[in-house]
């Protein structure tokens, strides 16, 4: 009996390990994108393909873009947004770009090419109504069984967090901006 339970437990563990996860990194503190990048590097370190899609950050130069370039062939990095949407001069163009980026992400998720797809700063698209919440949740629920998806951004909507297998929240207890220290190369970008 104990051996059967041990075997059954092992089989259940193997099934769990093969399940693709939906992970959410949210909160008002630093480290959400950095967490997703660390996860991407971990996957690439095992020879697993990653698609990292940035939805908001636009064309500003980030150190992580150069770093992931060193994993050419394992990490595909795509900057899809038009920049910081809340400073937009054309919200309709932003919405169209968001819908195109989401379509691109859906193709990546369903392609069978990737172990992990990161939707960086995706919570903003949901919170601003740029993409439909129910459509997104349905697509994420219907993703291939081994597909892992990580979503980052502040204020993750409750329905997204409820659907997730893992939710991590960063909290801002202290930030250098509060002391007048500007963004620094290698730290913020």
């Amino acid at each position: 009996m104990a051996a059967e339970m041990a075997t059954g437990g092992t089989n259940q563990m193997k099934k769990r390990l093969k399940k693709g996860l939906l992970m959410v990194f949210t909160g008002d503190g630093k480290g959400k994108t950095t967490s997703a990048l660390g996860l991407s590097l971990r996957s690439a370190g095992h020879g697993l393909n990653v698609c990292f899609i940035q939805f908001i950050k636009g064309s500003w130069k980030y150190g992580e873009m150069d770093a992931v370039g060193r994993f050419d062939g394992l990490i595909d990095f795509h900057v899809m947004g038009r920049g910081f949407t809340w400073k937009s001069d054309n919200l309709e163009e932003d919405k169209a770009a968001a819908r195109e980026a989401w379509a691109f992400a859906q193709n990546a998720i369903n392609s069978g090419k990737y172990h992990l797809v990161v939707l960086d700063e995706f919570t903003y698209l949901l919170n601003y109504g740029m993409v439909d919440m129910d459509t997104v949740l349905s697509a994420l629920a219907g993703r291939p069984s081994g597909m892992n998806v990580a979503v980052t951004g502040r204020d993750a909507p409750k329905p997204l967090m409820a659907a997730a297998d893992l939710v991590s929240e960063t909290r801002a207890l202290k930030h250098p901006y509060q002391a007048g220290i500007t963004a620094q190369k290698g730290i913020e970008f």
Side-chain angles (χ1 to χ4, degrees):
M1 181 78 154
E4 288 175 23
M5 289 176 54
T7 304
T10 302
N11 289 339
Q12 282 184 335
M13 180 64 85
K14 286 181 182 176
K15 286 180 186 175
R16 286 186 196 143
L17 292 175
K18 290 183 179 180
K19 179 191 184 307
L21 300 177
L22 175 57
M23 299 161 278
V24 176
F25 300 100
T26 192
D28 64 356
K30 287 180 56 59
K32 297 173 290 292
T33 297
T34 303
S35 292
L37 283 164
L39 193 58
S40 299
L41 293 175
R42 179 176 292 151
S43 293
H46 287 289
L48 301 167
N49 291 324
V50 177
C51 183
F52 199 102
I53 305 166
Q54 288 192 316
F55 285 87
I56 295 292
K57 290 182 176 164
S59 60
W60 200 38
K61 178 112 169 107
Y62 291 90
E64 56 258 45
M65 293 173 73
D66 292 334
V68 298
R70 296 176 185 174
F71 288 88
D72 190 31
L74 287 174
I75 301 177
D76 296 336
F77 199 89
H78 303 276
V79 179
M80 306 293 291
R82 290 190 51 224
F84 296 103
T85 300
W86 49 91
K87 295 181 181 179
S88 178
D89 58 348
N90 190 332
L91 195 54
E92 290 309 311
E93 279 186 29
D94 291 339
K95 288 179 182 179
R99 287 188 297 272
E100 287 175 28
W102 170 238
F104 180 87
Q106 286 179 287
N107 287 334
I109 289 167
N110 293 313
S111 71
K113 178 180 177 182
Y114 301 104
H115 167 74
L116 170 66
V117 175
V118 176
L119 309 178
D120 187 43
E121 306 291 0
F122 190 67
T123 60
Y124 295 105
L125 277 64
L126 294 168
N127 289 328
Y128 294 158
M130 296 177 147
V131 293
D132 179 67
M133 175 73 71
D134 291 335
T135 301
V136 168
L137 292 175
S138 177
L140 292 175
R143 71 191 185 280
S145 63
M147 169 54 56
N148 297 286
V149 176
V151 177
T152 73
R154 291 176 180 250
D155 302 315
K158 288 182 182 180
L160 176 65
M161 290 192 292
D165 299 292
L166 176 147
V167 177
S168 289
E169 181 179 37
T170 63
R171 291 187 312 145
L173 300 177
K174 188 175 183 181
H175 197 290
Y177 290 154
Q178 296 165 333
I181 301 169
T182 60
Q184 299 180 61
K185 184 177 186 176
I187 304 298
E188 278 84 21
F189 62 92

